Amino acid sequence: MKLKCQPKNVWFKHQQPDCFFQQKWSEGGGVQLWYIFYQVVSCLFFLSSLVYTWTVEYDRHGHTSGWWKYVIWMTHWGICLFCGALLLETIITVMVFLERKLSPRIMLFSWAWTTMAYTMAVFITLMYWTLLYHWDFPPSYANIFVHGLQGVFAIIDQTMTNRPWHLFKLWSSLPIPFIYLICNIIYWAAGGTNSDGDDWIYPVLKWGEEPGFAVLVMMMAVVALPVIHMVFWAITRGRDRLHRKVFGDRVTEGIDNRGVESD
């Protein structure tokens, strides 16, 4: 199967997107009960942990004038988008299992949302633990959850699901971080501060004090995000090759097991 830069491989389009919302590791088609259990338990875990981090955030800043600054952090954008994508995918998977009719647009939207959120999740995990975290004290659970578990789960889940990952959709890794970057710059230019009163949100993005380094970090992100997308594509290729060795070569409802759409 040759990789072709065709519209169906660039945009999130497919005639039967319901086949994305099922497990990879089975010989037959259709959603199996164990996968429903996996999806529901994972979704409940992440949603409950998200609510827990909200309570922690409220205890710290809920009674201050900066209570609303939860929204200025890219990490919080990432974890909320991640949990939203997981919730929507879980609902769709359950509906497919129950053989309820769904709009293909909803399923395609979920596919696109998950693809964007998973790339961003791994990016946040890598950036935080390499550039931002100070290893003086052990991290709290809320810290590990927000900055670590989303990235780890994204990789694990991509090996479990039948969701494809197309190389030519690497553009999808950039819109959300780009929107955040614009908001970050506007917030700084308007005189916004972080929760401690500093005139920057992240110490690596000090637009007023160290603009050169901030631009360098931005350029690193522009390179890193497509690379992460390509790593997901490589993981998907490995997943599919292993699947063929275990279950034999098969094509499921128009999806090539190499992670690209068949012609």
Side-chain angles (χ1 to χ4, degrees):
M1 177 66 65
K2 295 182 179 179
L3 295 176
K4 296 181 180 180
C5 189
Q6 298 177 346
K8 65 181 181 180
N9 287 332
V10 175
W11 308 115
F12 291 90
K13 295 182 178 180
H14 195 267
Q15 294 181 350
Q16 294 176 303
D18 56 305
C19 58
F20 300 164
F21 300 89
Q22 65 183 46
Q23 69 290 334
K24 184 67 180 181
W25 299 102
S26 64
E27 190 170 7
V31 184
Q32 296 190 0
L33 189 59
W34 70 264
Y35 187 68
I36 292 293
F37 179 79
Y38 160 78
Q39 278 285 101
V40 171
V41 170
S42 299
C43 183
L44 291 177
F45 167 76
F46 273 91
L47 290 179
S48 60
S49 293
L50 178 63
V51 172
Y52 168 74
T53 62
W54 287 347
T55 61
V56 171
E57 189 71 16
Y58 180 80
D59 290 340
R60 292 177 179 174
H61 306 292
H63 304 288
T64 67
S65 59
W67 61 269
W68 58 272
K69 292 185 179 182
Y70 179 89
V71 300
I72 70 175
W73 304 96
M74 184 178 188
T75 297
H76 296 157
W77 283 39
I79 193 62
C80 289
L81 288 171
F82 179 90
C83 290
L86 183 58
L87 175 61
L88 178 59
E89 186 173 79
T90 301
I91 293 173
I92 293 175
T93 302
V94 172
M95 297 292 283
V96 171
F97 175 74
L98 297 175
E99 299 182 349
R100 301 295 178 85
K101 188 174 182 179
L102 291 171
S103 169
R105 292 185 178 181
I106 295 295
M107 291 184 277
L108 292 173
F109 174 76
S110 175
W111 176 28
W113 186 357
T114 301
T115 301
M116 295 180 184
Y118 277 21
T119 304
M120 188 172 176
V122 173
F123 173 75
I124 289 172
T125 298
L126 293 176
M127 291 292 288
Y128 179 78
W129 297 106
T130 58
L131 295 180
L132 298 174
Y133 183 70
H134 299 289
W135 296 88
D136 301 330
F137 302 97
S140 64
Y141 171 74
N143 202 350
I144 293 174
F145 169 74
V146 172
H147 298 105
L149 292 185
Q150 58 172 323
V152 173
F153 179 81
I155 295 173
I156 295 174
D157 186 60
Q158 185 60 24
T159 66
M160 299 290 291
T161 180
N162 198 45
R163 181 191 314 111
W165 200 282
H166 297 162
L167 182 62
F168 294 113
K169 291 184 175 64
L170 58 83
W171 63 266
S172 65
S173 63
L174 296 174
I176 297 176
F178 183 71
I179 293 172
Y180 173 81
L181 179 63
I182 293 176
C183 293
N184 184 291
I185 295 175
I186 293 175
Y187 182 75
W188 162 77
T193 61
N194 61 21
S195 301
D196 296 323
D198 302 310
D199 60 350
W200 39 265
I201 299 177
Y202 289 104
V204 295
L205 292 177
K206 296 181 180 179
W207 300 106
E209 301 174 23
E210 302 175 2
F213 185 71
V215 172
L216 177 61
V217 171
M218 180 185 68
M219 296 305 297
M220 289 171 55
V222 170
V223 174
L225 285 161
V227 169
I228 292 172
H229 182 94
M230 288 188 287
V231 170
F232 268 107
W233 174 75
I235 290 173
T236 305
R237 288 289 299 270
R239 176 201 71 184
D240 296 342
R241 286 185 177 182
L242 181 59
H243 183 274
R244 288 197 300 274
K245 288 184 178 181
V246 175
F247 295 103
D249 197 6
R250 71 182 178 92
V251 176
T252 304
E253 299 181 10
I255 298 298
D256 180 292
N257 285 338
R258 294 165 179 79
V260 297
E261 293 185 15
S262 20
D263 298 329

